[in-house]
Amino acid sequence: MSLLFVLASPVAAEPKALSVELNKLEPQGAGCRAYMVVQNDDDTAYKAFKLDLVLFQQDGVIGRRFAMDLAPLKAKKRHVKLFDLDNIACDKIGNLLINDIVECTSDSGPVENCLTGITVKSLTSVQLTK
């Protein structure tokens, strides 16, 4: 009699101690540079953490949709990530929405429910929501 073992790749639970903060906006030529602070207080390191972001203008109209990969994110570490928004002035940005998490992968494989497992905040006049 033979036994067959099927090994599935483990799926990690949602992040428990991960926060994303819009820390600063600064003019950069005709555009705007955004500083994001990601605090990973979990024991999990992430090799992919890609956000689907939607930028709303001051009047509430969607201005742009884009993806931003914040990885790699080491465990128990605070990270600062920068991204430039070309051809949009900082004072024209109303808020940023994390619409979804496009990819969320730890060293042990895909992580479920990444969006529900993170907290968001902003230290600027521009709101960051999910």
Side-chain angles (χ1 to χ4, degrees):
M1 180 159 103
S2 64
L3 295 174
L4 178 64
F5 290 96
V6 178
L7 297 176
S9 101
V11 176
E14 68 187 46
K16 291 180 178 35
L18 193 64
S19 66
V20 178
E21 169 190 286
L22 178 58
N23 182 274
K24 178 181 173 180
L25 295 174
E26 72 179 10
Q28 186 70 23
C32 183
R33 176 168 287 164
Y35 292 77
M36 303 290 278
V37 176
V38 182
Q39 181 71 42
N40 184 5
D41 290 329
D42 205 348
D43 291 327
T44 303
Y46 295 87
K47 60 183 180 181
F49 195 78
K50 189 178 291 186
L51 307 179
D52 171 16
L53 289 169
V54 179
L55 180 151
F56 290 86
Q57 300 170 132
Q58 288 281 343
D59 60 6
V61 174
I62 293 172
R64 187 176 303 172
R65 183 176 180 193
F66 57 99
M68 180 176 66
D69 196 352
L70 297 175
L73 298 174
K74 294 178 183 174
K76 304 284 188 185
K77 175 136 179 35
R78 188 176 195 191
H79 306 267
V80 176
K81 306 289 182 168
L82 311 177
F83 67 97
D84 291 331
L85 297 164
D86 297 328
N87 301 316
I88 186 159
C90 294
D91 62 358
K92 301 294 182 197
I93 301 171
N95 64 71
L96 290 169
L97 168 69
I98 299 176
N99 194 48
D100 203 355
I101 306 287
V102 178
E103 185 178 4
C104 185
T105 308
S106 71
D107 290 337
S108 60
V111 179
E112 289 185 354
N113 302 318
C114 259
L115 184 60
T116 59
I118 64 171
T119 58
V120 296
K121 70 178 181 176
S122 177
L123 298 182
T124 74
S125 61
V126 173
Q127 275 192 319
L128 177 65
T129 59
K130 64 175 189 169

